[in-house]
Amino acid sequence: MYAPPTAVSRLKGFGGAGVLEVVEDHVSDTYRAVYTVKLAGVVFALHTFKKKSKQGIATPKPDMEKIEERLKEAKRRHKEWTTGKRGDP
């Protein structure tokens, strides 16, 4: 049976980049999926992970860095797809 996610919100630190986070609790664990809807016509899943820290709700720095890198790559690929021009590798 479908159950809606516990929470969907903007991920702080990305301004108006349209980066959203779905948070779901399961048993004693918390899982997160981060995606962007800012790029027209597509949804890019940027990162999914099990939150390991038992303290605080902040997303760990290594995960934030991975999300930043993947958002940059998503923007590059989206530009290629929409313009038909390949950018720098």
Side-chain angles (χ1 to χ4, degrees):
M1 175 182 266
Y2 172 76
T6 304
V8 178
S9 61
R10 273 191 199 170
L11 185 60
K12 293 180 182 176
F14 292 94
V19 177
L20 304 174
E21 177 180 51
V22 176
V23 179
E24 180 67 38
D25 292 324
H26 179 70
V27 187
S28 62
D29 296 318
T30 298
Y31 297 88
R32 295 180 176 191
V34 179
Y35 61 97
T36 184
V37 295
K38 176 80 173 183
L39 306 171
V42 294
V43 173
F44 281 94
L46 301 173
H47 190 38
T48 59
F49 58 102
K50 176 180 170 182
K51 187 169 181 306
K52 296 178 182 169
S53 172
K54 300 298 179 191
Q55 297 177 350
I57 61 171
T59 303
K61 185 175 179 178
D63 291 302
M64 289 296 285
E65 290 170 349
K66 188 173 287 190
I67 292 163
E68 288 173 17
E69 289 172 19
R70 290 179 176 172
L71 179 60
K72 182 186 271 187
E73 177 66 12
K75 288 178 179 178
R76 185 188 68 77
R77 287 183 181 210
H78 185 263
K79 183 176 180 181
E80 280 183 11
W81 294 335
T82 56
T83 65
K85 298 177 184 175
R86 293 194 60 114
D88 294 332

